[in-house]
Amino acid sequence: MILLKNNQVDINCDLGEGLDNEAQLMPYISSCNIACGGHAGDAQTMVKVLRLAKQHQVHVGAHPSFPDREHFGRKPMDLLPSALTATLITQIETLKTLAEAEGLSLNHVKPHGALYNLAAQDEQTAQAVIKAVSHCDARLKLYAPYGSVIAQLALASGLEVVFEAFADRHYNEDLSLVSRSNPEALILEPKAVFEQVNHILKTGQVTTINGVEVKLKAQTFCVHGDHQNALEILDYLDHHLTLKSSR
């Protein structure tokens, strides 16, 4: 189990996506995934988040995506694998350069949105992501879902994989996330978010949207920075989610 300050479970958050709430959220997390130009973000927002992360001693990671700002990276794009790898390298390297100028090193890479979901099940997309991460720095950790195609291929390639689960999203039986088009996709109540995280930690399973228990290992939990109740959720987890919850 990765530990957070105050002996809490590792919580990561997607930041730099235009909501300007990073200063409020940063004290509650231990890892942040910074949008680096694909779906959101520019040099100014990246530097702002990097400086906040440095102030709060939060690990920084790149949050690259399909180069599709119009749809916020939430729609798959039909790119050649070489073209996808190239744009991901550009995004990661941009943040890496800015981080180093601030005296920071990247800790990890976590793909965003449609890229994250597609790489979890499509080998060609997964390999494109793995090639980009390996090119930028093979020591970077890859945040990826347990049992996914990308996690298996990344481990086989020698990358370090950190299994990620979503604290604030409901799951289907195949461990895909319930579509945002479903009104039940998001978990809104802070207590319910805690209960999902605590259940995963205690049992190694997640309760899916239809009530089935499915095996799920997690070393880090994501609370989306654009969740309408992100601050309330993080504050609740900060007060309730300690090592007493873990196995």
Side-chain angles (χ1 to χ4, degrees):
M1 179 60 59
I2 302 172
L3 303 185
L4 169 63
K5 51 203 170 197
N6 303 324
N7 289 327
Q8 294 178 318
V9 177
D10 182 50
I11 302 294
N12 76 77
C13 200
D14 306 334
L15 299 177
E17 297 181 321
L19 298 182
D20 198 29
N21 59 355
E22 291 83 9
Q24 290 74 43
L25 303 184
M26 197 71 78
Y28 296 98
I29 63 176
S30 54
S31 304
C32 66
N33 321 303
I34 304 175
C36 40
H39 67 291
D42 56 26
Q44 183 176 0
T45 60
M46 286 183 249
V47 169
K48 177 184 175 181
V49 180
L50 286 166
R51 289 176 177 172
L52 284 168
K54 186 175 184 179
Q55 176 186 342
H56 292 281
Q57 298 182 318
V58 170
H59 290 303
V60 295
H63 197 38
S65 74
F66 285 120
D68 182 17
R69 298 174 77 92
E70 179 182 358
H71 300 109
F72 200 68
R74 287 182 174 158
K75 291 188 175 183
M77 293 183 71
D78 187 16
L79 298 177
L80 289 173
S82 58
L84 177 57
T85 295
T87 186
L88 297 179
I89 288 173
T90 297
Q91 293 176 54
I92 297 167
E93 288 286 1
T94 297
L95 182 66
K96 185 171 181 281
T97 299
L98 292 172
E100 289 171 351
E102 297 295 326
L104 297 169
S105 298
L106 291 190
N107 176 69
H108 63 276
V109 173
K110 174 189 168 181
H112 165 80
L115 178 62
Y116 185 99
N117 295 332
L118 189 58
Q121 56 185 309
D122 179 69
E123 181 173 343
Q124 192 173 66
T125 305
Q127 290 287 18
V129 174
I130 291 165
K131 287 180 181 178
V133 175
S134 299
H135 175 90
C136 294
D137 188 343
R139 297 168 297 178
L140 289 171
K141 301 176 180 68
L142 178 67
Y143 282 18
Y146 172 74
S148 62
V149 169
I150 189 170
Q152 295 170 26
L153 293 175
L155 287 169
S157 75
L159 289 179
E160 181 177 351
V161 175
V162 176
F163 294 131
E164 179 185 45
F166 290 89
D168 54 9
R169 293 288 300 275
H170 279 123
Y171 281 86
N172 296 307
E173 284 187 48
D174 63 356
L175 291 183
S176 63
L177 297 178
V178 173
S179 171
R180 286 179 180 267
S181 63
N182 185 326
E184 300 297 319
L186 295 177
I187 305 175
L188 299 176
E189 293 297 324
K191 183 179 179 182
V193 173
F194 162 75
E195 288 172 348
Q196 170 152 297
V197 173
N198 194 40
H199 183 66
I200 294 170
L201 286 170
K202 282 186 171 182
T203 69
Q205 299 183 95
V206 66
T207 306
T208 64
I209 190 72
N210 56 356
V212 175
E213 294 289 317
V214 178
K215 184 178 179 180
L216 177 63
K217 293 182 179 180
Q219 297 162 285
T220 184
F221 292 85
C222 176
V223 173
H224 286 90
D226 61 354
H227 192 295
Q228 65 196 65
N229 297 330
L231 183 58
E232 292 80 5
I233 288 169
L234 289 169
D235 182 64
Y236 193 94
L237 293 178
D238 186 63
H239 284 89
H240 293 84
L241 192 61
T242 69
L243 284 180
K244 294 176 183 178
S245 305
S246 63
R247 293 190 294 173

